[in-house]
Amino acid sequence: MKGNKLLQVANTTWTVEKSLEDMDRGGASAALISITNPGLYLGDQQQTIRLARECNDFGAKVVQDHPTRFGLFAAMPLPTSVPH
């Protein structure tokens, strides 16, 4: 994903610690993690599947480490078209 021109700065600088600090400062008790712009599909289905797995594994670890602070919307790549 790094180097993709569609990637926003917030996507490259996000950390659990920064998010927890922002939540505490703003009075939020919990937050949900989800994939944002530009999504995971960048033209390569196999890369998309790998990125989804990596993001889901990372998100699951964050939720496991902070079960009362974070939830997760898992990424589910769409299936490829299969000729009949």
Side-chain angles (χ1 to χ4, degrees), residues 3-69:
N4 183 296
K5 63 184 177 190
L6 297 175
L7 213 59
Q8 298 172 3
V9 174
N11 299 109
T12 62
T13 61
W14 183 90
T15 67
V16 172
E17 294 76 20
K18 281 187 199 178
S19 193
L20 288 169
E21 288 174 15
D22 288 344
M23 291 162 59
D24 290 343
R25 213 175 10 257
S29 60
L32 291 168
I33 301 170
S34 66
I35 301 300
T36 61
N37 234 8
L40 296 174
Y41 184 75
L42 303 172
D44 181 328
Q45 185 66 22
Q46 290 306 309
Q47 178 189 40
T48 301
I49 292 167
R50 182 181 54 77
L51 287 171
R53 169 57 61 198
E54 289 176 11
C55 289
N56 290 340
D57 288 347
F58 174 81
K61 176 84 168 96
V62 171
V63 172
Q64 182 180 16
D65 291 347
H66 305 277
T68 63
R69 302 300 306 268

